[in-house]
Amino acid sequence: MSGVRGQFTTRAGFILAAAGSAVGLGNIWKFPYLAGQNGGGAFLIIYLGFILSIGLSVMLAEFAIGRRTKRNPVGAFRHLKGGAWTAIGVMGVFTGFIILSFYSVVGGWTVAYAVKSATGLMASGDAKALGAAFGAFIGDPVEPIIYHALFMLATIAVVARGIDTGIERTCRVLMPVLFILLVVLCVRSLTLPGAAKGVAFFLSPDFSKVDGAMITAALGHAFFSLSLGMGTMITYGSYLARTTNLPGAALWVTSLDTLIAVMAGFMILPAVFAFGFDPGAGPGLTFITLPAVFSKIPFGAFFGVLFFVLLAVAALTSAISLIEVVVAYLVDEKGIARPKAALSSGIAIFLLGIPSSLSLGIWNDYTVAGKGFFDAMDYLASNILLPTGGIFISLFVGWVVFDKVMDGNQGGIGDGFRYVGLWRIICRYIAPLAIAWVLISGL
Ligand code: PHE
């Protein structure tokens, strides 16, 4: 199989595809509500700090492992060193499974909201009613699960056919459209009466809000948003041409992802204050605020449909990269045919997503480690599994295979990387120690 791996055709195509993995619900749905819950500006600054000090380096490490080995994460670790290191790849497969189970539930919400926007959701524009409608929708035992199924089906359908120019082409067209729409919505949100309070909340840090839980959330989100710590970027790197400059690509993907998260903050938080919503409202924040914004612009229903369709596509490109880690493993390591691997893992992920969805309604009372099932899955994956993966990926590159991943003749990073020394120090010491410290203090 390994001789016929697909490849991204252009550098820009790859960057947009990797950015397609990174940019998703994490940026547009999760980041604004996390910032809202965790004191706005202070969260933003700590999050940016983690992206710069750790995220960028781990991304480069993953790209280099992927391109050097041209393998799925499990195969990559086994090929480079084997032994216990292979467990990092296995943990990545497991993490992809968990993340996609709840991610797809939210992906389903975006599809549902595209439909609802077309059928009169925004007509009243009454903020309270929009909040109640969202609560009723996600708490329903049937409707969101049907949309979750639709979203998983779409994911399975794409991945069953393989990573090829289809993904690349889709991202190339749709990502720029999403970007333009974000700009338009930021402008609308920022010019609402009362928006200034939201801007102040987002930009002026209140460091009295900083505590262990918040730092853990910021670190977990840096990993989640950049798709790091579980081998997604190893997988994407494995499809990358020799000629692409890896540090440059890592910088591009990181910058695009961060830019879009910050824009989402400017799209949501000013509107939250303008409409008198609670910034700490949690997972519903984006889904309640945006329809209220759409009701305040001409052709709101049209823009609402367009936005939620684009958000669904952005979520889909991330979902593809999540399930691709599982599927590439089953195909490469277990010799299962791609369509079968996609379908069977997709069904299992769908089933695991059902309790997540129900935990927002009829299973509200059941808790795992003091959290609802949905929150527990998110916490386990984002705040524990991804950062733990990040520790070991950094240590692996810094201490075990540094020369191999630098070797340009073998698909590694190659000469001409100006910050090799700094990168090595980050991989060896700074990233593992900082992550371990956050993990331990978060417990
Ligand atoms: N980065 C994606 C987002 O922000 C989610 C994701 C996490 C994708 C981990 C792949 C791996 O929406």
Side-chain angles (χ1 to χ4, degrees):
M1 273 305 292
S2 51
V4 290
R5 287 182 89 79
Q7 223 178 47
F8 291 104
T9 51
T10 61
R11 176 173 127 99
F14 169 75
I15 288 172
L16 285 178
S21 165
V23 175
L25 296 170
N27 307 61
I28 291 165
W29 157 73
K30 207 173 171 192
F31 176 74
Y33 93 70
L34 284 177
Q37 278 177 334
N38 290 292
F43 182 82
L44 175 66
I45 290 190
I46 295 176
Y47 168 73
L48 292 177
F50 281 136
I51 297 251
L52 270 180
S53 63
I54 297 176
L56 192 55
S57 290
V58 175
M59 184 169 299
L60 179 56
E62 290 204 21
F63 280 170
I65 293 175
R67 193 172 68 180
R68 161 81 208 213
T69 57
K70 295 211 170 296
R71 281 181 166 79
N72 72 88
V74 177
F77 285 103
R78 176 173 300 141
H79 175 73
L80 280 174
K81 191 72 195 174
W85 291 106
T86 312
I88 311 172
V90 176
M91 187 172 87
V93 173
F94 177 68
T95 310
F97 209 88
I98 300 212
I99 295 183
L100 189 50
S101 73
F102 69 85
Y103 199 86
S104 166
V105 170
V106 183
W109 299 352
T110 64
V111 178
Y113 263 61
V115 174
K116 289 176 194 290
S117 302
T119 52
L121 171 75
M122 273 73 105
S124 82
D126 175 45
K128 277 231 172 56
L130 288 167
F134 178 75
F137 164 64
I138 61 167
D140 189 89
V142 180
E143 199 187 349
I145 294 177
I146 293 175
Y147 283 106
H148 163 49
L150 287 176
F151 188 84
M152 268 322 292
L153 271 179
T155 309
I156 294 168
V158 177
V159 171
R161 279 188 271 150
I163 295 258
D164 63 1
T165 46
I167 294 182
E168 182 173 336
R169 218 176 297 136
T170 314
C171 295
R172 254 173 124 153
V173 176
L174 293 176
M175 298 278 299
V177 181
L178 178 65
F179 186 82
I180 294 167
L181 199 59
L182 279 177
V183 175
V184 172
L185 291 172
C186 280
V187 171
R188 173 67 275 205
S189 183
L190 287 166
T191 51
L192 287 168
K197 263 190 265 156
V199 177
F201 174 77
F202 193 37
L203 292 185
S204 47
D206 171 1
F207 286 108
S208 71
K209 293 268 164 44
V210 179
D211 60 18
M214 181 240 222
I215 295 177
T216 311
L219 178 73
H221 191 61
F223 275 91
F224 184 90
S225 188
L226 293 173
S227 307
L228 296 177
M230 53 163 277
T232 308
M233 293 305 180
I234 296 181
T235 310
Y236 273 45
S238 77
Y239 301 114
L240 188 51
R242 281 277 173 86
T243 44
T244 304
N245 168 275
L246 292 182
L251 187 61
W252 262 105
V253 175
T254 306
S255 309
L256 277 175
D257 187 71
T258 308
L259 176 68
I260 293 189
V262 172
M263 282 171 69
F266 280 117
M267 171 174 80
I268 303 288
L269 292 169
V272 166
F273 284 82
F275 291 116
F277 294 125
D278 167 17
L285 194 65
T286 298
F287 285 89
I288 298 168
T289 310
L290 273 179
V293 175
F294 289 126
S295 70
K296 291 275 184 289
I297 58 180
F299 309 108
F302 167 77
F303 281 109
V305 175
L306 181 65
F307 179 82
F308 283 113
V309 167
L310 289 170
L311 185 54
V313 174
L316 186 67
T317 56
S318 302
I320 289 166
S321 73
L322 282 160
I323 200 174
E324 178 60 24
V325 173
V326 182
V327 170
Y329 164 70
L330 293 174
V331 172
D332 290 354
E333 305 296 312
K334 301 279 170 217
I336 298 175
R338 185 170 260 281
K340 204 172 150 198
L343 188 65
S344 52
S345 52
I347 290 174
I349 291 168
F350 165 71
L351 293 176
L352 184 63
I354 292 176
S356 278
S357 184
L358 294 179
S359 74
L360 303 170
I362 53 171
W363 285 3
N364 214 335
D365 296 337
Y366 296 102
T367 55
V368 186
K371 296 181 194 311
F373 195 79
F374 182 106
D375 292 337
M377 290 293 114
D378 184 10
Y379 191 89
L380 170 67
S382 313
N383 294 3
I384 299 176
L385 295 173
L386 294 179
T388 305
I391 294 183
F392 289 107
I393 290 168
S394 306
L395 290 173
F396 185 63
V397 164
W399 295 97
V400 185
V401 292
F402 194 78
D403 294 337
K404 285 191 181 167
V405 300
M406 281 309 295
D407 184 353
N409 295 323
Q410 298 291 330
I413 295 173
D415 307 330
F417 174 33
R418 283 183 30 212
Y419 302 101
V420 192
L422 176 62
W423 182 55
R424 186 174 196 166
I425 293 175
I426 292 178
C427 289
R428 282 191 157 192
Y429 307 103
I430 299 181
L433 288 173
I435 299 168
W437 175 73
V438 174
L439 280 180
I440 290 164
S441 61
L443 293 179

